[in-house]
Amino acid sequence: MPFVSIRLAGTASVEQKAGIVADVTSSLVTRLGKNPAAVQVVIEEVATENYGAGGVLIAHRDAPREVADAKPSQ
């Protein structure tokens, strides 16, 4: 029985997650000949303040720039 674990930084809609499950299942059926009823897929959403890359939290990397970073007005 194939078991697939997917982690996403942030969130996805129910429709997006349903599509991911369908696509992953289809791939395992096509490529490995697995029974679709046996394919198990778990999607875990990781809050961006709990995930970092390159030494920076994803929440900080994707945050809008502060007003102080804006160019001064003329």
Side-chain angles (χ1 to χ4, degrees), residues 14-15 27 31 46 50 65:
V14 172
E15 293 80 15
S27 182
R31 298 190 180 279
V46 179
N50 295 329
R65 293 199 176 268

Side-chain angles (χ1 to χ4, degrees), residues 11-38:
T11 60
S13 70
V14 172
E15 293 80 15
Q16 289 170 320
K17 289 185 264 189
I20 291 168
V21 170
D23 291 347
V24 169
T25 300
S26 176
S27 182
L28 291 171
V29 169
T30 300
R31 298 190 180 279
L32 299 179
K34 297 299 181 180
N35 178 345

